[in-house]
Each structure stands twice: as structure tokens, then as C-alpha cells.
């Protein structure tokens, strides 16, 4: 499990499945921590400066991040390229004024 990976997220007891991108650090992913930081991959461009395209999958909005429960990650879908992760990092820094 690594930063920039896309996963299907399926909370138990819910019929809803969604694709998310992991944005927490690899150190957190390698730990026993149950909660990770991620953002949902959207089907449509939200037309916002904080939105980054995820080629072949949709868009991720850097202003829409949250915690996810590790055990509800169902299946690894893909991985963002280094260039796309850098664009997401830039959007995350802008969203949080870092």
C-alpha cells in the first residue's frame, strides 16, 4: 500500500463502492494505523483550481480529503504517475496554505 494508489473503498454494511486515492504518507501506510487519509476520485471534472485529473479514472479534488478505514479497502485499482502525484501535492499545498 502506497501513497498515490487508487483503491475501491467499500464500507461494511453499505452497498456504495467508490474509488479513492491514498494521500497519507507511506509511513502511515506501513504502520498498524487503522485510519488513513484519502480523497474520492470523481467521475466529472469539478471545474475547480484544486481539482487534478487522474488519467483513465476521473478527477480528485484536493479540498475534499478525509479519513478512511483501512479494513474497508476492497481492491487496488491502479496507481497515479509521479507527475500526477506531484500535481496533487501542489493542489494539496494550495488548499491548506502549506
Amino acid at each position: 500500500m502506497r501513497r498515490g494508489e487508487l483503491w475501491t473503498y467499500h464500507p461494511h454494511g453499505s452497498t456504495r463502492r467508490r474509488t479513492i486515492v491514498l494521500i497519507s504518507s507511506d509511513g502511515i501506510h506501513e504502520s498498524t494505523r487503522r485510519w488513513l487519509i484519502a480523497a474520492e476520485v470523481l467521475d466529472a471534472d469539478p471545474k475547480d483550481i484544486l481539482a487534478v485529473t487522474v488519467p483513465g479514472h476521473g478527477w480528485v479534488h484536493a479540498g475534499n480529503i478525509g479519513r478512511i478505514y483501512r479494513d474497508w479497502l476492497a481492491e487496488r485499482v491502479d496507481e497515479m504517475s509521479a507527475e500526477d502525484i506531484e500535481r496533487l501535492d501542489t493542489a494539496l499545498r494550495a488548499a491548506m496554505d502549506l
Side-chain angles (χ1 to χ4, degrees):
M1 187 174 299
R2 294 184 342 187
R3 189 168 191 279
E5 287 183 345
L6 281 72
W7 284 77
T8 301
Y9 187 63
H10 183 214
H12 292 286
S14 172
T15 58
R16 184 169 184 236
R17 288 178 176 259
R18 56 191 166 133
T19 302
I20 57 94
V21 62
L22 296 175
I23 58 175
S24 43
S25 72
D26 287 339
I28 289 175
H29 300 149
E30 293 166 5
S31 76
T32 58
R33 251 180 106 87
R34 304 311 322 152
W35 294 94
L36 308 174
I37 307 297
E40 184 172 359
V41 177
L42 308 170
D43 291 333
D45 180 357
K47 308 270 189 234
D48 191 287
I49 194 167
L50 297 176
V52 174
T53 186
V54 182
H57 299 284
W59 295 81
V60 63
H61 191 283
N64 189 21
I65 63 174
R67 290 184 344 150
I68 59 158
Y69 189 58
R70 179 191 299 260
D71 292 348
W72 293 348
L73 292 171
E75 178 182 4
R76 185 183 179 278
V77 175
D78 202 353
E79 183 175 351
M80 292 176 71
S81 70
E83 296 81 19
D84 292 333
I85 292 171
E86 181 56 37
R87 288 194 350 257
L88 178 56
D89 286 347
T90 299
L92 288 164
R93 284 191 298 275
M96 294 181 244
D97 197 24
L98 299 176

